[in-house]
Amino acid sequence: MASVKKQVTYAFQSQKYASSRQFYCVLMFLVIMYVMVVYNFALTYFNGDTLVSAKETSVEETEFIQVIRNFFDRDYVSQRMLLEERQILNEKLKNYSLFELEEPISDADPSNIARTYAIVPPNIKLEEKLRVVYKKRLAACVIEKNMSTVLASIMCFLEDNKAFAEANRTITGEHFWTRFCKDKNEHNSIEDLLRTTHTKLEDWIMFALVRDPLERLLSAFVDKCILNRESEMDKSCYGCKQNIRCFVRNVYWRAKSFAENHEKNYNMEDVHTFPQNWHCSFKDRTNKMKIIKYYSEFKERKRTYAKIVDVLKEADIRPALISEVLDQIMAGSTYHTTINSPEKELARKKVTNSEDLMDMIYSLYYHDYLMFDFPFEYKDVHV
Ligand SMILES: *[C@@H]1O[C@H](CO)[C@@H](O)[C@H](O)[C@H]1NC(C)=O
Ligand SMILES: *[C@@H]1O[C@H](CO)[C@@H](O)[C@H](O)[C@H]1NC(C)=O
Ligand SMILES: *[C@@H]1O[C@H](CO)[C@@H](O)[C@H](O)[C@H]1NC(C)=O
């Protein structure tokens, strides 16, 4: 009786062993397939009389490989598809004439400045706002404001383009307070980014858009003092009403005091007017942070877009997504808006005709001019 029971148990166990052996076989097969596919190992076989190696067929990937890859990688795109997308992107770049744009020659000559006012020191830590595409290890440091909203939307779109589209968002239709990616792909320091992603600085491609300091100051003036002046008259525009001289002086003395007293208090105006090199920890990230210049003039702006495309390509963003970004920013309001409003032109005349104000601006942004290589001379450049 007991031996029968033993036999039954034995039979049962051996069956279990057999089934688990099968299971491990299947598992091993899957693991090997996975490794082969993910690491692109050559799969060589005969197709009729032709020797086919999956590694060599960069265009004609075997369907088998495609199916397996699709299964393991949600974002997988076949080589053939990528090639097509690349061709379309190149055609688009040509259509938008974003090819072969030469750099303007910069004559950032510090000897041009009068130094009536003490130069505001560089590399004070103000803000570091990063917008990230995690999968591609791509981070943009955004400096307030206009184009920074667009740049942040681009990063948001690239981080999860499907969710972005499903939420009916568009790259140029985003607003700061209602942005889709709020708290999703955002970090307030590079240290925070590296800590939460368990990565090293070398793993990342980082870039930032910077503007011509005077253009940026004038935009801030028009925005704070003219367009939005109904809101909190006393506080916005430093209480300067519409006085550009008052505005420039306030920025200069506030920035100087902020730098000297290692203060922690600053307001929204300061974020838009204090030197750009105080953002993004530029000094500590020398050679790491790619600098892309952003201009007000549309024909100059195309150069900015071309440079952004270069960075996205370098980060291995899918060409179809880059095309989409291009279509949206070229078609969006940023394309057609008259950037240089009459108010801004007037403010620019007032400033550039005043030696005193220009001295102050050069001293205020001295290190921006040098670090980002903007010309100190405005006579004929920005009319
Ligand atoms: C480029 O422009 C041509 C002519 O206007 C047009 O036919 C073509 O579809 C455009 N290509 C892309 C990729 O937009
Ligand atoms: C900034 O955005 C505002 C409104 O969104 C727009 O009217 C203005 O032209 C933009 N300025 C620049 C320099 O793009
Ligand atoms: C997006 O738009 C479509 C069509 O207009 C609508 O059916 C859908 O509910 C919208 N989705 C969201 C999240 O608003």
PDB file of all heavy atoms in Angstrom, residues 194-223:
ATOM      1  N   LEU A 194      19.984  64.204 -11.768  1.00  0.00           N
ATOM      2  CA  LEU A 194      20.902  63.069 -11.719  1.00  0.00           C
ATOM      3  C   LEU A 194      20.538  62.117 -10.574  1.00  0.00           C
ATOM      4  O   LEU A 194      20.614  60.903 -10.706  1.00  0.00           O
ATOM      5  CB  LEU A 194      22.343  63.552 -11.561  1.00  0.00           C
ATOM      6  CG  LEU A 194      22.881  64.445 -12.697  1.00  0.00           C
ATOM      7  CD1 LEU A 194      24.332  64.803 -12.451  1.00  0.00           C
ATOM      8  CD2 LEU A 194      22.716  63.790 -14.052  1.00  0.00           C
ATOM      9  N   ARG A 195      20.144  62.710  -9.448  1.00  0.00           N
ATOM     10  CA  ARG A 195      19.794  61.898  -8.284  1.00  0.00           C
ATOM     11  C   ARG A 195      18.567  61.041  -8.573  1.00  0.00           C
ATOM     12  O   ARG A 195      18.570  59.835  -8.363  1.00  0.00           O
ATOM     13  CB  ARG A 195      19.536  62.806  -7.075  1.00  0.00           C
ATOM     14  CG  ARG A 195      19.701  62.099  -5.745  1.00  0.00           C
ATOM     15  CD  ARG A 195      19.437  63.036  -4.562  1.00  0.00           C
ATOM     16  NE  ARG A 195      19.979  64.372  -4.733  1.00  0.00           N
ATOM     17  CZ  ARG A 195      19.241  65.479  -4.817  1.00  0.00           C
ATOM     18  NH1 ARG A 195      17.926  65.413  -4.774  1.00  0.00           N
ATOM     19  NH2 ARG A 195      19.808  66.668  -4.955  1.00  0.00           N
ATOM     20  N   THR A 196      17.517  61.658  -9.105  1.00  0.00           N
ATOM     21  CA  THR A 196      16.268  60.908  -9.279  1.00  0.00           C
ATOM     22  C   THR A 196      16.352  59.905 -10.436  1.00  0.00           C
ATOM     23  O   THR A 196      15.612  58.935 -10.457  1.00  0.00           O
ATOM     24  CB  THR A 196      15.062  61.848  -9.525  1.00  0.00           C
ATOM     25  OG1 THR A 196      15.407  62.766 -10.539  1.00  0.00           O
ATOM     26  CG2 THR A 196      14.680  62.584  -8.275  1.00  0.00           C
ATOM     27  N   THR A 197      17.259  60.145 -11.381  1.00  0.00           N
ATOM     28  CA  THR A 197      17.346  59.204 -12.505  1.00  0.00           C
ATOM     29  C   THR A 197      18.520  58.230 -12.353  1.00  0.00           C
ATOM     30  O   THR A 197      18.729  57.382 -13.214  1.00  0.00           O
ATOM     31  CB  THR A 197      17.512  59.956 -13.842  1.00  0.00           C
ATOM     32  OG1 THR A 197      18.640  60.827 -13.737  1.00  0.00           O
ATOM     33  CG2 THR A 197      16.283  60.765 -14.184  1.00  0.00           C
ATOM     34  N   HIS A 198      19.288  58.388 -11.262  1.00  0.00           N
ATOM     35  CA  HIS A 198      20.475  57.554 -11.043  1.00  0.00           C
ATOM     36  C   HIS A 198      21.392  57.567 -12.257  1.00  0.00           C
ATOM     37  O   HIS A 198      21.750  56.516 -12.797  1.00  0.00           O
ATOM     38  CB  HIS A 198      20.074  56.107 -10.708  1.00  0.00           C
ATOM     39  CG  HIS A 198      19.105  56.018  -9.574  1.00  0.00           C
ATOM     40  ND1 HIS A 198      19.489  56.225  -8.262  1.00  0.00           N
ATOM     41  CD2 HIS A 198      17.780  55.783  -9.543  1.00  0.00           C
ATOM     42  CE1 HIS A 198      18.411  56.108  -7.483  1.00  0.00           C
ATOM     43  NE2 HIS A 198      17.375  55.853  -8.233  1.00  0.00           N
ATOM     44  N   THR A 199      21.717  58.755 -12.715  1.00  0.00           N
ATOM     45  CA  THR A 199      22.571  58.877 -13.897  1.00  0.00           C
ATOM     46  C   THR A 199      23.740  59.795 -13.590  1.00  0.00           C
ATOM     47  O   THR A 199      23.791  60.418 -12.518  1.00  0.00           O
ATOM     48  CB  THR A 199      21.788  59.481 -15.075  1.00  0.00           C
ATOM     49  OG1 THR A 199      21.124  60.651 -14.628  1.00  0.00           O
ATOM     50  CG2 THR A 199      20.793  58.495 -15.639  1.00  0.00           C
ATOM     51  N   LYS A 200      24.674  59.873 -14.530  1.00  0.00           N
ATOM     52  CA  LYS A 200      25.804  60.788 -14.412  1.00  0.00           C
ATOM     53  C   LYS A 200      25.647  61.908 -15.434  1.00  0.00           C
ATOM     54  O   LYS A 200      24.950  61.749 -16.440  1.00  0.00           O
ATOM     55  CB  LYS A 200      27.117  60.038 -14.672  1.00  0.00           C
ATOM     56  CG  LYS A 200      27.428  58.989 -13.613  1.00  0.00           C
ATOM     57  CD  LYS A 200      28.872  58.500 -13.735  1.00  0.00           C
ATOM     58  CE  LYS A 200      29.120  57.693 -14.989  1.00  0.00           C
ATOM     59  NZ  LYS A 200      28.701  56.305 -14.974  1.00  0.00           N
ATOM     60  N   LEU A 201      26.325  63.004 -15.183  1.00  0.00           N
ATOM     61  CA  LEU A 201      26.228  64.145 -16.076  1.00  0.00           C
ATOM     62  C   LEU A 201      26.607  63.769 -17.508  1.00  0.00           C
ATOM     63  O   LEU A 201      25.997  64.226 -18.478  1.00  0.00           O
ATOM     64  CB  LEU A 201      27.142  65.272 -15.568  1.00  0.00           C
ATOM     65  CG  LEU A 201      27.010  66.625 -16.251  1.00  0.00           C
ATOM     66  CD1 LEU A 201      25.619  67.201 -16.074  1.00  0.00           C
ATOM     67  CD2 LEU A 201      28.052  67.604 -15.725  1.00  0.00           C
ATOM     68  N   GLU A 202      27.611  62.879 -17.638  1.00  0.00           N
ATOM     69  CA  GLU A 202      28.088  62.493 -18.975  1.00  0.00           C
ATOM     70  C   GLU A 202      27.013  61.772 -19.775  1.00  0.00           C
ATOM     71  O   GLU A 202      27.094  61.701 -21.000  1.00  0.00           O
ATOM     72  CB  GLU A 202      29.308  61.553 -18.891  1.00  0.00           C
ATOM     73  CG  GLU A 202      30.483  62.084 -18.135  1.00  0.00           C
ATOM     74  CD  GLU A 202      30.375  61.789 -16.642  1.00  0.00           C
ATOM     75  OE1 GLU A 202      30.787  60.719 -16.205  1.00  0.00           O
ATOM     76  OE2 GLU A 202      29.853  62.667 -15.923  1.00  0.00           O
ATOM     77  N   ASP A 203      26.027  61.211 -19.097  1.00  0.00           N
ATOM     78  CA  ASP A 203      25.001  60.462 -19.809  1.00  0.00           C
ATOM     79  C   ASP A 203      24.082  61.368 -20.629  1.00  0.00           C
ATOM     80  O   ASP A 203      23.361  60.902 -21.490  1.00  0.00           O
ATOM     81  CB  ASP A 203      24.112  59.689 -18.810  1.00  0.00           C
ATOM     82  CG  ASP A 203      24.925  58.705 -17.997  1.00  0.00           C
ATOM     83  OD1 ASP A 203      25.996  58.305 -18.485  1.00  0.00           O
ATOM     84  OD2 ASP A 203      24.503  58.349 -16.888  1.00  0.00           O
ATOM     85  N   TRP A 204      24.105  62.657 -20.315  1.00  0.00           N
ATOM     86  CA  TRP A 204      23.074  63.546 -20.838  1.00  0.00           C
ATOM     87  C   TRP A 204      23.549  64.458 -21.960  1.00  0.00           C
ATOM     88  O   TRP A 204      24.705  64.854 -22.002  1.00  0.00           O
ATOM     89  CB  TRP A 204      22.526  64.410 -19.705  1.00  0.00           C
ATOM     90  CG  TRP A 204      21.729  63.615 -18.728  1.00  0.00           C
ATOM     91  CD1 TRP A 204      22.228  62.901 -17.666  1.00  0.00           C
ATOM     92  CD2 TRP A 204      20.322  63.406 -18.735  1.00  0.00           C
ATOM     93  NE1 TRP A 204      21.200  62.273 -17.015  1.00  0.00           N
ATOM     94  CE2 TRP A 204      20.028  62.559 -17.644  1.00  0.00           C
ATOM     95  CE3 TRP A 204      19.285  63.854 -19.549  1.00  0.00           C
ATOM     96  CZ2 TRP A 204      18.730  62.162 -17.353  1.00  0.00           C
ATOM     97  CZ3 TRP A 204      17.996  63.450 -19.254  1.00  0.00           C
ATOM     98  CH2 TRP A 204      17.728  62.610 -18.167  1.00  0.00           C
ATOM     99  N   ILE A 205      22.602  64.767 -22.842  1.00  0.00           N
ATOM    100  CA  ILE A 205      22.798  65.869 -23.785  1.00  0.00           C
ATOM    101  C   ILE A 205      21.987  67.031 -23.224  1.00  0.00           C
ATOM    102  O   ILE A 205      20.794  66.883 -22.950  1.00  0.00           O
ATOM    103  CB  ILE A 205      22.281  65.498 -25.189  1.00  0.00           C
ATOM    104  CG1 ILE A 205      23.121  64.357 -25.761  1.00  0.00           C
ATOM    105  CG2 ILE A 205      22.296  66.706 -26.109  1.00  0.00           C
ATOM    106  CD1 ILE A 205      22.614  63.844 -27.090  1.00  0.00           C
ATOM    107  N   MET A 206      22.654  68.170 -23.023  1.00  0.00           N
ATOM    108  CA  MET A 206      21.959  69.310 -22.423  1.00  0.00           C
ATOM    109  C   MET A 206      22.100  70.535 -23.300  1.00  0.00           C
ATOM    110  O   MET A 206      23.148  70.754 -23.899  1.00  0.00           O
ATOM    111  CB  MET A 206      22.542  69.614 -21.055  1.00  0.00           C
ATOM    112  CG  MET A 206      22.277  68.530 -20.066  1.00  0.00           C
ATOM    113  SD  MET A 206      22.675  69.037 -18.402  1.00  0.00           S
ATOM    114  CE  MET A 206      22.060  67.610 -17.527  1.00  0.00           C
ATOM    115  N   PHE A 207      21.051  71.320 -23.358  1.00  0.00           N
ATOM    116  CA  PHE A 207      21.148  72.549 -24.136  1.00  0.00           C
ATOM    117  C   PHE A 207      20.265  73.640 -23.543  1.00  0.00           C
ATOM    118  O   PHE A 207      19.379  73.372 -22.737  1.00  0.00           O
ATOM    119  CB  PHE A 207      20.807  72.298 -25.607  1.00  0.00           C
ATOM    120  CG  PHE A 207      19.357  72.006 -25.892  1.00  0.00           C
ATOM    121  CD1 PHE A 207      18.560  72.933 -26.541  1.00  0.00           C
ATOM    122  CD2 PHE A 207      18.798  70.794 -25.510  1.00  0.00           C
ATOM    123  CE1 PHE A 207      17.221  72.664 -26.813  1.00  0.00           C
ATOM    124  CE2 PHE A 207      17.458  70.511 -25.773  1.00  0.00           C
ATOM    125  CZ  PHE A 207      16.676  71.448 -26.430  1.00  0.00           C
ATOM    126  N   ALA A 208      20.555  74.867 -23.942  1.00  0.00           N
ATOM    127  CA  ALA A 208      19.782  76.008 -23.450  1.00  0.00           C
ATOM    128  C   ALA A 208      19.669  77.039 -24.559  1.00  0.00           C
ATOM    129  O   ALA A 208      20.551  77.153 -25.409  1.00  0.00           O
ATOM    130  CB  ALA A 208      20.474  76.628 -22.240  1.00  0.00           C
ATOM    131  N   LEU A 209      18.571  77.755 -24.565  1.00  0.00           N
ATOM    132  CA  LEU A 209      18.407  78.861 -25.500  1.00  0.00           C
ATOM    133  C   LEU A 209      18.732  80.154 -24.775  1.00  0.00           C
ATOM    134  O   LEU A 209      18.243  80.379 -23.671  1.00  0.00           O
ATOM    135  CB  LEU A 209      16.955  78.964 -25.993  1.00  0.00           C
ATOM    136  CG  LEU A 209      16.366  77.858 -26.848  1.00  0.00           C
ATOM    137  CD1 LEU A 209      15.054  78.319 -27.454  1.00  0.00           C
ATOM    138  CD2 LEU A 209      17.322  77.469 -27.945  1.00  0.00           C
ATOM    139  N   VAL A 210      19.562  80.977 -25.388  1.00  0.00           N
ATOM    140  CA  VAL A 210      19.843  82.282 -24.794  1.00  0.00           C
ATOM    141  C   VAL A 210      19.503  83.375 -25.792  1.00  0.00           C
ATOM    142  O   VAL A 210      19.531  83.160 -26.997  1.00  0.00           O
ATOM    143  CB  VAL A 210      21.324  82.413 -24.361  1.00  0.00           C
ATOM    144  CG1 VAL A 210      21.653  81.419 -23.267  1.00  0.00           C
ATOM    145  CG2 VAL A 210      22.246  82.241 -25.548  1.00  0.00           C
ATOM    146  N   ARG A 211      19.170  84.543 -25.261  1.00  0.00           N
ATOM    147  CA  ARG A 211      18.782  85.661 -26.136  1.00  0.00           C
ATOM    148  C   ARG A 211      19.786  86.778 -26.043  1.00  0.00           C
ATOM    149  O   ARG A 211      20.492  86.925 -25.053  1.00  0.00           O
ATOM    150  CB  ARG A 211      17.422  86.223 -25.699  1.00  0.00           C
ATOM    151  CG  ARG A 211      16.278  85.337 -25.986  1.00  0.00           C
ATOM    152  CD  ARG A 211      14.989  86.065 -25.690  1.00  0.00           C
ATOM    153  NE  ARG A 211      14.651  87.010 -26.752  1.00  0.00           N
ATOM    154  CZ  ARG A 211      13.550  87.738 -26.751  1.00  0.00           C
ATOM    155  NH1 ARG A 211      12.714  87.668 -25.752  1.00  0.00           N
ATOM    156  NH2 ARG A 211      13.295  88.559 -27.751  1.00  0.00           N
ATOM    157  N   ASP A 212      19.773  87.602 -27.057  1.00  0.00           N
ATOM    158  CA  ASP A 212      20.543  88.828 -27.015  1.00  0.00           C
ATOM    159  C   ASP A 212      20.083  89.630 -25.786  1.00  0.00           C
ATOM    160  O   ASP A 212      18.889  89.861 -25.611  1.00  0.00           O
ATOM    161  CB  ASP A 212      20.260  89.615 -28.288  1.00  0.00           C
ATOM    162  CG  ASP A 212      21.016  90.925 -28.325  1.00  0.00           C
ATOM    163  OD1 ASP A 212      20.719  91.814 -27.492  1.00  0.00           O
ATOM    164  OD2 ASP A 212      21.887  91.065 -29.178  1.00  0.00           O
ATOM    165  N   PRO A 213      21.023  90.022 -24.908  1.00  0.00           N
ATOM    166  CA  PRO A 213      20.631  90.644 -23.636  1.00  0.00           C
ATOM    167  C   PRO A 213      19.734  91.877 -23.784  1.00  0.00           C
ATOM    168  O   PRO A 213      18.761  92.015 -23.032  1.00  0.00           O
ATOM    169  CB  PRO A 213      21.973  91.038 -23.010  1.00  0.00           C
ATOM    170  CG  PRO A 213      22.955  90.099 -23.608  1.00  0.00           C
ATOM    171  CD  PRO A 213      22.471  89.831 -25.000  1.00  0.00           C
ATOM    172  N   LEU A 214      20.052  92.745 -24.739  1.00  0.00           N
ATOM    173  CA  LEU A 214      19.231  93.948 -24.900  1.00  0.00           C
ATOM    174  C   LEU A 214      17.828  93.583 -25.387  1.00  0.00           C
ATOM    175  O   LEU A 214      16.827  94.102 -24.876  1.00  0.00           O
ATOM    176  CB  LEU A 214      19.895  94.936 -25.868  1.00  0.00           C
ATOM    177  CG  LEU A 214      19.076  96.198 -26.156  1.00  0.00           C
ATOM    178  CD1 LEU A 214      18.802  96.998 -24.887  1.00  0.00           C
ATOM    179  CD2 LEU A 214      19.765  97.076 -27.199  1.00  0.00           C
ATOM    180  N   GLU A 215      17.749  92.677 -26.355  1.00  0.00           N
ATOM    181  CA  GLU A 215      16.451  92.230 -26.862  1.00  0.00           C
ATOM    182  C   GLU A 215      15.598  91.665 -25.734  1.00  0.00           C
ATOM    183  O   GLU A 215      14.405  91.925 -25.639  1.00  0.00           O
ATOM    184  CB  GLU A 215      16.638  91.155 -27.933  1.00  0.00           C
ATOM    185  CG  GLU A 215      17.222  91.659 -29.230  1.00  0.00           C
ATOM    186  CD  GLU A 215      16.365  92.753 -29.836  1.00  0.00           C
ATOM    187  OE1 GLU A 215      15.139  92.562 -29.934  1.00  0.00           O
ATOM    188  OE2 GLU A 215      16.922  93.807 -30.188  1.00  0.00           O
ATOM    189  N   ARG A 216      16.228  90.897 -24.893  1.00  0.00           N
ATOM    190  CA  ARG A 216      15.514  90.271 -23.784  1.00  0.00           C
ATOM    191  C   ARG A 216      15.006  91.317 -22.797  1.00  0.00           C
ATOM    192  O   ARG A 216      13.867  91.247 -22.332  1.00  0.00           O
ATOM    193  CB  ARG A 216      16.460  89.290 -23.095  1.00  0.00           C
ATOM    194  CG  ARG A 216      15.896  88.587 -21.887  1.00  0.00           C
ATOM    195  CD  ARG A 216      16.791  87.421 -21.514  1.00  0.00           C
ATOM    196  NE  ARG A 216      16.485  86.863 -20.208  1.00  0.00           N
ATOM    197  CZ  ARG A 216      17.071  87.237 -19.089  1.00  0.00           C
ATOM    198  NH1 ARG A 216      17.982  88.195 -19.100  1.00  0.00           N
ATOM    199  NH2 ARG A 216      16.735  86.680 -17.947  1.00  0.00           N
ATOM    200  N   LEU A 217      15.856  92.287 -22.511  1.00  0.00           N
ATOM    201  CA  LEU A 217      15.459  93.349 -21.586  1.00  0.00           C
ATOM    202  C   LEU A 217      14.285  94.152 -22.156  1.00  0.00           C
ATOM    203  O   LEU A 217      13.323  94.450 -21.444  1.00  0.00           O
ATOM    204  CB  LEU A 217      16.653  94.273 -21.307  1.00  0.00           C
ATOM    205  CG  LEU A 217      16.404  95.372 -20.276  1.00  0.00           C
ATOM    206  CD1 LEU A 217      16.254  94.785 -18.883  1.00  0.00           C
ATOM    207  CD2 LEU A 217      17.538  96.400 -20.283  1.00  0.00           C
ATOM    208  N   LEU A 218      14.361  94.465 -23.454  1.00  0.00           N
ATOM    209  CA  LEU A 218      13.286  95.234 -24.077  1.00  0.00           C
ATOM    210  C   LEU A 218      11.977  94.441 -24.087  1.00  0.00           C
ATOM    211  O   LEU A 218      10.909  94.999 -23.838  1.00  0.00           O
ATOM    212  CB  LEU A 218      13.670  95.629 -25.511  1.00  0.00           C
ATOM    213  CG  LEU A 218      14.825  96.630 -25.629  1.00  0.00           C
ATOM    214  CD1 LEU A 218      15.216  96.837 -27.085  1.00  0.00           C
ATOM    215  CD2 LEU A 218      14.468  97.960 -24.975  1.00  0.00           C
ATOM    216  N   SER A 219      12.083  93.147 -24.358  1.00  0.00           N
ATOM    217  CA  SER A 219      10.882  92.301 -24.331  1.00  0.00           C
ATOM    218  C   SER A 219      10.254  92.296 -22.946  1.00  0.00           C
ATOM    219  O   SER A 219       9.041  92.396 -22.807  1.00  0.00           O
ATOM    220  CB  SER A 219      11.232  90.861 -24.700  1.00  0.00           C
ATOM    221  OG  SER A 219      11.402  90.757 -26.080  1.00  0.00           O
ATOM    222  N   ALA A 220      11.116  92.175 -21.939  1.00  0.00           N
ATOM    223  CA  ALA A 220      10.601  92.172 -20.568  1.00  0.00           C
ATOM    224  C   ALA A 220       9.911  93.493 -20.269  1.00  0.00           C
ATOM    225  O   ALA A 220       8.832  93.523 -19.672  1.00  0.00           O
ATOM    226  CB  ALA A 220      11.740  91.936 -19.579  1.00  0.00           C
ATOM    227  N   PHE A 221      10.515  94.588 -20.714  1.00  0.00           N
ATOM    228  CA  PHE A 221       9.931  95.913 -20.477  1.00  0.00           C
ATOM    229  C   PHE A 221       8.550  96.021 -21.128  1.00  0.00           C
ATOM    230  O   PHE A 221       7.578  96.403 -20.488  1.00  0.00           O
ATOM    231  CB  PHE A 221      10.857  97.010 -21.006  1.00  0.00           C
ATOM    232  CG  PHE A 221      10.252  98.379 -20.957  1.00  0.00           C
ATOM    233  CD1 PHE A 221      10.092  99.045 -19.749  1.00  0.00           C
ATOM    234  CD2 PHE A 221       9.825  99.015 -22.117  1.00  0.00           C
ATOM    235  CE1 PHE A 221       9.504 100.303 -19.696  1.00  0.00           C
ATOM    236  CE2 PHE A 221       9.240 100.271 -22.079  1.00  0.00           C
ATOM    237  CZ  PHE A 221       9.086 100.914 -20.862  1.00  0.00           C
ATOM    238  N   VAL A 222       8.490  95.642 -22.413  1.00  0.00           N
ATOM    239  CA  VAL A 222       7.216  95.744 -23.131  1.00  0.00           C
ATOM    240  C   VAL A 222       6.175  94.844 -22.472  1.00  0.00           C
ATOM    241  O   VAL A 222       5.028  95.239 -22.261  1.00  0.00           O
ATOM    242  CB  VAL A 222       7.399  95.371 -24.625  1.00  0.00           C
ATOM    243  CG1 VAL A 222       6.044  95.257 -25.314  1.00  0.00           C
ATOM    244  CG2 VAL A 222       8.265  96.407 -25.323  1.00  0.00           C
ATOM    245  N   ASP A 223       6.596  93.666 -22.104  1.00  0.00           N
ATOM    246  CA  ASP A 223       5.677  92.704 -21.513  1.00  0.00           C
ATOM    247  C   ASP A 223       5.175  93.153 -20.144  1.00  0.00           C
ATOM    248  O   ASP A 223       3.980  93.139 -19.866  1.00  0.00           O
ATOM    249  CB  ASP A 223       6.410  91.357 -21.387  1.00  0.00           C
ATOM    250  CG  ASP A 223       5.430  90.214 -21.292  1.00  0.00           C
ATOM    251  OD1 ASP A 223       4.481  90.209 -22.108  1.00  0.00           O
ATOM    252  OD2 ASP A 223       5.591  89.364 -20.405  1.00  0.00           O
TER     253      ASP A 223
END
